[in-house]
Amino acid sequence: MLKVALCDDEATQRASAGKLLQEYATLHPQLAVKLSVFSSGRELLDAAEENGGFDLYLLDVVMPDLTGIELGVKLRKLGLNGLIIYLTISPEFAVDSYEARAFYYLMKPADQAQLYPVLDRAVKTLEKRKAACVKVKTRDGLRLLRMDSILYVELVGRAVRYHLSGGEQVESVTVRCPFQEEASSLLADSRFFLCGASFVVNLFYVTAVEKSFLLLDSGDRVPLARSLAAQARQQWSRYWLNAPEGEAGL
Protein backbone atom coordinates (compact mmCIF):
# COMPACT_ATOMS: atom_id res chain seq x y z
CA MET A 1 0.00 0.00 0.00
CA LEU A 2 1.17 3.53 -0.84
CA LYS A 3 0.00 6.01 1.79
CA VAL A 4 -0.31 9.52 0.35
CA ALA A 5 -1.16 12.74 2.20
CA LEU A 6 -2.44 15.83 0.36
CA CYS A 7 -2.54 19.12 2.27
CA ASP A 8 -3.81 22.44 0.94
CA ASP A 9 -5.88 25.10 2.68
CA GLU A 10 -7.77 25.98 -0.53
CA ALA A 11 -10.71 23.71 -1.33
CA THR A 12 -10.45 24.13 -5.12
CA GLN A 13 -6.75 23.26 -5.07
CA ARG A 14 -7.39 20.21 -2.87
CA ALA A 15 -10.08 19.02 -5.27
CA SER A 16 -7.87 19.55 -8.33
CA ALA A 17 -4.79 17.83 -6.90
CA GLY A 18 -6.93 15.11 -5.32
CA LYS A 19 -8.50 14.31 -8.68
CA LEU A 20 -5.07 13.97 -10.29
CA LEU A 21 -3.94 11.63 -7.52
CA GLN A 22 -7.07 9.50 -7.77
CA GLU A 23 -6.61 9.23 -11.52
CA TYR A 24 -2.98 8.23 -11.03
CA ALA A 25 -4.07 5.59 -8.53
CA THR A 26 -6.58 4.22 -11.06
CA LEU A 27 -3.83 3.96 -13.67
CA HIS A 28 -1.59 2.09 -11.19
CA PRO A 29 -3.87 -0.29 -9.25
CA GLN A 30 -0.89 -2.39 -8.14
CA LEU A 31 0.17 0.46 -5.85
CA ALA A 32 -3.02 0.28 -3.76
CA VAL A 33 -2.91 4.01 -3.10
CA LYS A 34 -4.57 5.24 0.10
CA LEU A 35 -5.12 9.00 -0.15
CA SER A 36 -5.73 11.16 2.92
CA VAL A 37 -6.68 14.81 2.38
CA PHE A 38 -6.08 17.62 4.89
CA SER A 39 -7.06 21.28 4.92
CA SER A 40 -4.32 22.45 7.30
CA GLY A 41 -0.78 21.58 8.24
CA ARG A 42 -1.74 21.15 11.87
CA GLU A 43 -4.39 18.58 10.94
CA LEU A 44 -1.89 16.58 8.89
CA LEU A 45 0.78 16.80 11.59
CA ASP A 46 -1.63 15.46 14.21
CA ALA A 47 -2.57 12.56 11.94
CA ALA A 48 1.09 11.78 11.23
CA GLU A 49 1.95 11.78 14.93
CA GLU A 50 -0.93 9.46 15.70
CA ASN A 51 -0.62 7.05 12.77
CA GLY A 52 3.09 7.05 12.02
CA GLY A 53 3.23 9.20 8.90
CA PHE A 54 2.84 8.65 5.16
CA ASP A 55 4.97 7.42 2.29
CA LEU A 56 4.39 10.52 0.18
CA TYR A 57 3.29 14.08 1.01
CA LEU A 58 1.94 16.67 -1.44
CA LEU A 59 2.01 19.95 0.42
CA ASP A 60 0.98 23.48 -0.41
CA VAL A 61 3.71 25.92 0.66
CA VAL A 62 1.68 28.98 1.61
CA MET A 63 -0.82 28.04 4.32
CA PRO A 64 -1.98 29.91 7.45
CA ASP A 65 -0.80 28.87 10.92
CA LEU A 66 1.70 26.29 9.65
CA THR A 67 3.33 26.72 6.24
CA GLY A 68 4.25 23.76 4.07
CA ILE A 69 7.95 24.34 4.77
CA GLU A 70 7.37 24.47 8.53
CA LEU A 71 5.21 21.37 8.29
CA GLY A 72 7.89 19.51 6.37
CA VAL A 73 10.54 20.40 8.96
CA LYS A 74 8.27 19.23 11.80
CA LEU A 75 7.64 15.94 9.99
CA ARG A 76 11.40 15.41 9.71
CA LYS A 77 11.88 16.17 13.41
CA LEU A 78 9.36 13.42 14.16
CA GLY A 79 11.66 11.03 12.30
CA LEU A 80 9.25 10.68 9.38
CA ASN A 81 11.07 10.35 6.07
CA GLY A 82 8.26 10.14 3.53
CA LEU A 83 8.93 11.95 0.27
CA ILE A 84 7.69 15.54 0.08
CA ILE A 85 6.46 17.20 -3.11
CA TYR A 86 5.69 20.89 -2.74
CA LEU A 87 2.95 22.57 -4.79
CA THR A 88 2.85 26.37 -4.90
CA ILE A 89 2.19 29.40 -7.07
CA SER A 90 5.60 31.01 -6.46
CA PRO A 91 9.16 29.78 -7.11
CA GLU A 92 10.58 31.93 -4.32
CA PHE A 93 10.34 29.13 -1.76
CA ALA A 94 12.38 26.59 -3.76
CA VAL A 95 15.56 27.11 -1.74
CA ASP A 96 13.64 26.99 1.57
CA SER A 97 12.22 23.60 0.63
CA TYR A 98 15.69 22.06 1.05
CA GLU A 99 15.30 22.57 4.80
CA ALA A 100 12.51 19.98 4.73
CA ARG A 101 14.52 17.76 2.35
CA ALA A 102 11.93 17.97 -0.39
CA PHE A 103 11.79 15.41 -3.17
CA TYR A 104 10.43 17.86 -5.73
CA TYR A 105 8.85 21.28 -6.14
CA LEU A 106 6.05 21.93 -8.64
CA MET A 107 4.28 25.09 -9.69
CA LYS A 108 0.49 25.30 -9.42
CA PRO A 109 -1.72 24.36 -11.08
CA ALA A 110 -0.05 21.01 -11.63
CA ASP A 111 -1.33 18.84 -14.45
CA GLN A 112 -0.78 15.24 -15.53
CA ALA A 113 2.22 16.13 -17.69
CA GLN A 114 3.98 17.73 -14.73
CA LEU A 115 2.85 15.61 -11.81
CA TYR A 116 2.74 12.06 -13.12
CA PRO A 117 6.45 11.76 -14.09
CA VAL A 118 7.35 13.07 -10.61
CA LEU A 119 5.02 10.53 -9.00
CA ASP A 120 6.60 7.78 -11.11
CA ARG A 121 10.06 8.74 -9.84
CA ALA A 122 8.76 9.00 -6.28
CA VAL A 123 7.27 5.50 -6.44
CA LYS A 124 10.52 4.12 -7.86
CA THR A 125 12.52 5.80 -5.09
CA LEU A 126 10.22 4.42 -2.39
CA GLU A 127 10.47 0.93 -3.84
CA LYS A 128 14.27 1.12 -3.76
CA ARG A 129 14.19 2.38 -0.20
CA LYS A 130 12.01 -0.47 0.99
CA ALA A 131 14.16 -3.05 -0.80
CA ALA A 132 17.46 -1.76 0.63
CA CYS A 133 18.21 -3.54 3.91
CA VAL A 134 21.16 -4.63 6.00
CA LYS A 135 21.39 -7.88 7.91
CA VAL A 136 22.36 -7.60 11.57
CA LYS A 137 23.17 -10.55 13.78
CA THR A 138 21.85 -9.88 17.28
CA ARG A 139 21.66 -11.99 20.42
CA ASP A 140 17.99 -12.63 19.61
CA GLY A 141 18.67 -13.70 16.03
CA LEU A 142 18.98 -12.13 12.60
CA ARG A 143 17.39 -8.70 12.04
CA LEU A 144 16.74 -7.00 8.70
CA LEU A 145 17.00 -3.22 9.02
CA ARG A 146 15.80 -0.90 6.29
CA MET A 147 18.59 1.47 5.37
CA ASP A 148 16.23 4.42 5.21
CA SER A 149 15.34 3.83 8.88
CA ILE A 150 18.95 4.06 10.09
CA LEU A 151 19.96 7.44 11.56
CA TYR A 152 23.52 6.49 12.38
CA VAL A 153 25.68 3.57 13.41
CA GLU A 154 28.39 3.45 16.06
CA LEU A 155 30.98 1.02 17.33
CA VAL A 156 30.40 0.24 21.01
CA GLY A 157 33.15 -1.96 22.36
CA ARG A 158 33.23 -4.83 19.87
CA ALA A 159 29.57 -4.52 18.88
CA VAL A 160 27.85 -2.26 16.37
CA ARG A 161 24.84 -0.25 17.52
CA TYR A 162 22.23 0.88 14.97
CA HIS A 163 20.17 3.95 15.90
CA LEU A 164 16.82 3.92 14.07
CA SER A 165 14.47 6.75 13.17
CA GLY A 166 11.74 5.51 15.51
CA GLY A 167 14.08 5.72 18.50
CA GLU A 168 14.89 1.99 18.63
CA GLN A 169 18.48 0.83 19.02
CA VAL A 170 19.64 -2.49 17.64
CA GLU A 171 22.97 -3.92 18.79
CA SER A 172 24.90 -6.61 16.96
CA VAL A 173 26.77 -9.48 18.45
CA THR A 174 30.55 -9.11 18.74
CA VAL A 175 32.05 -8.33 15.35
CA ARG A 176 35.32 -9.93 14.23
CA CYS A 177 36.31 -7.43 11.58
CA PRO A 178 37.17 -3.70 11.48
CA PHE A 179 34.23 -1.30 11.86
CA GLN A 180 34.60 0.11 8.35
CA GLU A 181 34.42 -3.39 6.89
CA GLU A 182 31.36 -4.23 8.99
CA ALA A 183 29.66 -1.05 7.69
CA SER A 184 30.73 -1.57 4.07
CA SER A 185 27.18 -2.33 2.85
CA LEU A 186 26.04 1.04 4.21
CA LEU A 187 29.04 2.94 2.89
CA ALA A 188 28.37 1.58 -0.61
CA ASP A 189 25.21 3.72 -0.53
CA SER A 190 25.66 7.46 -1.20
CA ARG A 191 23.41 8.29 1.76
CA PHE A 192 25.98 7.11 4.30
CA PHE A 193 29.20 8.77 5.40
CA LEU A 194 32.04 7.50 7.58
CA CYS A 195 32.54 10.19 10.24
CA GLY A 196 35.67 8.71 11.77
CA ALA A 197 36.83 5.43 13.23
CA SER A 198 33.57 4.57 15.00
CA PHE A 199 30.60 6.32 13.37
CA VAL A 200 28.62 6.16 10.12
CA VAL A 201 25.76 8.62 9.55
CA ASN A 202 22.80 8.69 7.17
CA LEU A 203 23.09 12.05 5.35
CA PHE A 204 19.34 12.09 4.79
CA TYR A 205 18.85 12.98 8.46
CA VAL A 206 21.67 15.52 8.74
CA THR A 207 20.57 19.13 9.20
CA ALA A 208 23.96 20.76 9.80
CA VAL A 209 27.65 19.95 9.50
CA GLU A 210 29.78 21.51 12.24
CA LYS A 211 33.51 21.28 12.85
CA SER A 212 33.34 18.37 15.27
CA PHE A 213 29.87 16.87 14.88
CA LEU A 214 26.93 16.31 12.55
CA LEU A 215 23.54 17.53 13.77
CA LEU A 216 20.57 15.27 12.97
CA ASP A 217 16.93 16.31 12.86
CA SER A 218 16.34 13.96 15.79
CA GLY A 219 18.55 16.25 17.90
CA ASP A 220 21.39 13.72 18.01
CA ARG A 221 24.94 14.94 17.54
CA VAL A 222 27.20 12.45 15.82
CA PRO A 223 30.94 12.97 16.45
CA LEU A 224 32.90 14.00 13.37
CA ALA A 225 36.68 13.90 12.96
CA ARG A 226 37.77 17.50 12.35
CA SER A 227 39.89 16.37 9.42
CA LEU A 228 36.71 15.08 7.73
CA ALA A 229 34.54 18.18 8.25
CA ALA A 230 35.15 19.64 4.77
CA GLN A 231 34.59 16.25 3.12
CA ALA A 232 31.40 15.70 5.12
CA ARG A 233 30.05 19.09 4.08
CA GLN A 234 30.86 18.40 0.42
CA GLN A 235 29.29 14.93 0.43
CA TRP A 236 26.20 16.18 2.28
CA SER A 237 25.72 19.00 -0.24
CA ARG A 238 26.42 16.70 -3.17
CA TYR A 239 23.90 14.16 -1.88
CA TRP A 240 21.08 16.71 -1.76
CA LEU A 241 21.98 18.44 -5.02
CA ASN A 242 22.46 15.25 -6.98
CA ALA A 243 20.28 12.70 -5.19
CA PRO A 244 19.24 9.81 -7.46
CA GLU A 245 15.85 9.52 -9.08
CA GLY A 246 14.95 13.14 -8.45
CA GLU A 247 15.18 13.06 -4.66
CA ALA A 248 15.68 16.63 -3.49
CA GLY A 249 15.55 17.75 -7.11
CA LEU A 250 13.78 20.97 -7.96
Side-chain angles (χ1 to χ4, degrees), residues 187 191-195 199-201 203 224 228 231-232 235:
L187 295 172
R191 287 174 290 182
F192 292 89
F193 179 76
L194 182 66
C195 305
F199 289 87
V200 169
V201 69
L203 295 173
L224 173 67
L228 295 175
Q231 183 182 344
Q235 187 163 328

Side-chain angles (χ1 to χ4, degrees), residues 153-175:
V153 179
E154 64 175 321
L155 183 65
V156 181
R158 292 296 300 166
V160 175
R161 184 175 295 160
Y162 295 79
H163 297 259
L164 307 184
S165 58
E168 182 185 6
Q169 296 180 11
V170 175
E171 192 161 313
S172 74
V173 296
T174 301
V175 296

Side-chain angles (χ1 to χ4, degrees), residues 20-164:
L20 286 174
L21 289 169
Q22 293 288 7
E23 290 174 349
Y24 184 85
T26 300
L27 292 171
H28 302 81
Q30 76 282 2
L31 296 177
V33 176
K34 180 181 180 181
L35 175 62
S36 299
V37 181
F38 303 91
S39 59
S40 73
R42 190 67 58 186
E43 183 185 1
L44 191 159
L45 187 63
D46 290 343
E49 288 181 314
E50 182 177 349
N51 302 316
F54 298 82
D55 300 308
L56 179 64
Y57 301 86
L58 275 79
L59 309 179
D60 181 25
V61 172
V62 181
M63 294 188 290
D65 183 34
L66 195 63
T67 70
I69 303 298
E70 292 169 340
L71 173 59
V73 171
K74 288 183 179 295
L75 290 170
R76 297 309 186 210
K77 288 183 177 179
L78 288 174
L80 303 175
N81 63 354
L83 302 183
I84 295 176
I85 298 173
Y86 280 117
L87 303 171
T88 190
I89 58 174
S90 174
E92 65 181 291
F93 301 100
V95 174
D96 293 337
S97 69
Y98 279 108
E99 187 178 359
R101 301 196 300 276
F103 180 81
Y104 217 85
Y105 187 100
L106 286 173
M107 299 295 294
K108 289 181 177 180
D111 56 22
Q112 288 186 8
Q114 293 175 304
L115 180 60
Y116 286 8
V118 177
L119 291 177
D120 287 341
R121 291 197 294 273
V123 168
K124 187 175 181 180
T125 297
L126 288 167
E127 289 175 345
K128 285 185 176 181
R129 278 186 177 185
K130 292 177 180 178
C133 296
V134 291
K135 297 178 181 178
V136 180
K137 293 181 179 179
T138 72
R139 292 178 180 176
D140 297 322
L142 187 66
R143 286 282 303 271
L144 283 179
L145 304 180
R146 284 173 45 181
M147 286 187 179
D148 67 322
S149 72
I150 299 172
L151 293 176
Y152 67 98
V153 179
E154 64 175 321
L155 183 65
V156 181
R158 292 296 300 166
V160 175
R161 184 175 295 160
Y162 295 79
H163 297 259
L164 307 184

Side-chain angles (χ1 to χ4, degrees), residues 202-213:
N202 187 340
L203 295 173
F204 181 87
Y205 296 100
V206 173
T207 59
V209 179
E210 303 295 342
K211 291 182 180 179
S212 60
F213 65 89

